[in-house]
């Protein structure tokens, strides 16, 4: 294993949660999530030679992984099924396990009904990105990112309400 390969594997290991979250947002089926995860990982490796460290590795990884996910969905013509439930939800707080699991189930069901750009907006928002950072990742203005994100959050709330659940 050469130095570049070690550096790449270490960096991916530190930020692999990005790939898991994107896979979960864009794919319902566990096998489809795994395929998308592998596709993003492959594309990251192929693109690693062009990473010049002018930005953080995670910022570069977000961009490559999101673009790969969007292309993968179009190429494979796989659209998420909004009526399927998520079986394997990550829960941090064990004391409210059932309630948190229920909330996450409704949340992910609602996210599945968003279009690809709206999913990306929610993903970046959940990752703590500022409006400016979201704009940079998506190639839109900061004002546009703010407006689109607010509209997407409102849409997500409406979808969740229509499902009969409110947080």
């Amino acid at each position: 294993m050469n130095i570049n390969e070690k550096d790449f594997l270490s960096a991916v290991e530190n930020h692999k949660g990005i790939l898991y979250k994107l896979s979960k947002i864009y794919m319902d089926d566990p096998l489809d999530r795994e395929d998308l995860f592998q596709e993003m990982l492959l594309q990251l490796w192929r693109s690693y030679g062009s990473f010049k460290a002018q930005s953080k590795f995670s910022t570069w990884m977000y961009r490559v992984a999101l673009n790969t996910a969007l292309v993968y969905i179009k190429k494979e013509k796989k659209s998420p099924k909004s009526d399927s439930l998520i079986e394997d939800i990550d829960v941090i707080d064990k004391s409210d396990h059932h309630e948190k699991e229920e909330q996450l189930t409704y949340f992910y069901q609602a996210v599945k009904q968003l279009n690809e750009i709206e999913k990306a907006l929610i993903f970046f928002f959940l990752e703590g990105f500022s409006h400016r950072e979201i704009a940079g990742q998506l190639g839109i203005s900061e004002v546009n990112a703010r407006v689109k994100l607010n509209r997407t959050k409102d849409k997500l709330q409406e979808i969740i309400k229509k499902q009969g659940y409110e947080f």
Side-chain angles (χ1 to χ4, degrees):
M1 197 179 326
N2 64 36
I3 292 173
N4 278 347
E5 190 175 344
K6 284 181 182 179
D7 293 344
F8 173 78
L9 291 174
S10 175
V12 167
E13 181 64 29
N14 290 335
H15 301 291
K16 67 184 174 188
I18 294 167
L19 303 180
Y20 286 121
K21 289 174 189 170
L22 277 172
S23 298
K24 193 172 220 171
I25 284 175
Y26 284 102
M27 294 292 161
D28 283 331
D29 182 69
L31 293 175
D32 291 339
R33 284 196 297 263
E34 181 62 28
D35 287 347
L36 178 55
F37 182 92
Q38 292 298 326
E39 186 68 25
M40 289 185 293
L41 193 56
L42 177 63
Q43 190 56 43
L44 284 165
W45 174 245
R46 286 180 178 160
S47 303
Y48 188 61
S50 67
F51 175 62
K52 303 294 183 220
Q54 294 171 341
S55 62
K56 289 192 226 170
F57 179 84
S58 60
T59 302
W60 173 80
M61 187 175 180
Y62 281 116
R63 182 164 287 186
V64 172
L66 180 60
N67 288 337
T68 302
L70 295 174
V71 169
Y72 181 83
I73 289 167
K74 288 178 185 173
K75 185 174 100 179
E76 298 297 319
K77 295 184 176 105
K78 293 181 180 180
S79 60
K81 300 171 192 95
S82 62
D83 59 346
S84 68
L85 292 173
I86 306 297
E87 295 101 16
D88 56 338
I89 297 173
D90 301 319
V91 179
I92 296 172
D93 186 359
K94 302 279 187 214
S95 64
D96 295 329
H97 178 79
H98 180 72
E99 183 180 335
K100 294 228 183 273
E101 185 172 323
E102 184 179 26
Q103 288 174 346
L104 285 170
T105 299
Y106 278 101
F107 175 76
Y108 277 110
Q109 284 176 329
V111 168
K112 299 287 184 209
Q113 297 179 46
L114 300 174
N115 68 39
E116 284 79 13
I117 297 301
E118 292 167 336
K119 287 177 184 176
L121 286 163
I122 291 299
F123 172 74
F124 288 130
F125 172 74
L126 292 174
E127 288 292 302
F129 278 51
S130 69
H131 292 114
R132 176 173 289 175
E133 291 168 324
I134 292 171
Q137 288 290 334
L138 298 178
I140 58 178
S141 72
E142 187 175 345
V143 171
N144 197 1
R146 183 178 296 116
V147 169
K148 284 180 180 280
L149 180 58
N150 286 334
R151 287 180 183 162
T152 301
K153 289 192 286 189
D154 290 343
K155 182 177 178 179
L156 198 53
Q157 278 188 316
E158 285 303 311
I159 293 168
I160 291 170
K161 285 179 186 176
K162 285 179 185 174
Q163 291 177 349
Y165 190 88
E166 289 191 48
F167 290 97

